[in-house]
Amino acid sequence: MITEQQKKLMREAIALSSRNIDNGGGPFGAVIVKDGKILARGANRVTADNDPTAHAEVNAIREAARILGTFDLSGCEIYTSCEPCPMCLSAIYWARIDHIYYANTQYDAKAIDFDDSFIYEELSLPKQQRSIPAERMLGEEAIEAFDKWRNKEDKVEY
């Protein structure tokens, strides 16, 4: 059951998405919440910052991690004005956020020309059939850094 507090938090993400349009960004907003309080806010700044990774969710995650001083956002929830794209969904998983709440769907986004379906389709293809070629090289040399990491005694695991 969705509570009034949760609706209030989602309305903040939605308001961010609308205000961001007036500030030169895309129509996406997100808030990260911990213990019922907004910890961080993010809006889509892709075109404003010339940064293809500057999605609302990623910006909110970066801010929350900075505030908490950790990359582990366990115990947090994210409220986002739109269903997260594949990149943002991955970032949410990497950040270990406990719960995702979203308003608009990926199909709503597609209807206004924010279409991520090609990425979902690409991910389901074998590497050799994807539209961007990917070729492995110098694996024998690169593995040395992985070996070094494996043997590092004071590493911070994530």
Side-chain angles (χ1 to χ4, degrees):
M1 173 173 237
I2 302 293
T3 68
E4 287 304 313
Q5 174 65 9
Q6 289 171 315
K7 289 179 185 178
K8 180 180 176 185
L9 294 166
M10 181 58 77
R11 287 184 178 116
E12 176 63 20
I14 293 167
L16 277 169
S17 72
S18 184
R19 284 194 306 267
N20 195 51
I21 297 167
D22 299 328
N23 293 324
F28 303 96
V31 295
I32 294 181
V33 175
K34 187 171 179 85
D35 300 324
K37 295 185 174 114
I38 294 176
L39 176 65
R41 292 170 172 81
N44 180 289
R45 305 302 296 163
V46 171
T47 57
D49 295 349
N50 293 316
D51 180 352
T53 68
H55 289 203
E57 298 90 339
V58 171
N59 286 337
I61 288 168
R62 288 173 179 159
E63 180 67 9
R66 186 190 63 74
I67 289 168
L68 293 176
T70 180
F71 56 83
D72 186 345
L73 301 184
S74 297
C76 294
E77 302 172 329
I78 189 165
Y79 292 78
T80 180
S81 65
C82 187
E83 184 176 1
C85 74
M87 177 185 69
C88 293
L89 185 60
S90 296
I92 290 166
Y93 274 94
W94 278 113
R96 299 186 182 106
I97 292 175
D98 291 354
H99 201 110
I100 302 166
Y101 297 95
Y102 64 92
N104 291 316
T105 69
Q106 63 178 292
Y107 306 105
D108 296 325
K110 183 177 182 175
I112 62 164
D113 297 325
F114 288 93
D115 185 5
D116 296 325
S117 59
F118 74 98
I119 297 173
Y120 291 108
E121 292 165 6
E122 286 281 308
L123 290 173
S124 69
L125 294 173
K127 289 178 194 153
Q128 62 274 17
Q129 292 179 15
R130 294 179 185 166
S131 63
I132 299 176
E135 184 174 349
R136 184 170 188 227
M137 60 182 288
L138 299 180
E140 309 81 26
E141 293 178 28
I143 201 70
E144 291 176 18
F146 280 18
D147 290 339
K148 183 177 179 180
W149 174 258
R150 180 184 302 107
N151 298 321
K152 184 174 171 54
E153 292 187 18
D154 62 342
K155 64 186 165 202
V156 177
E157 305 246 1
Y158 61 95

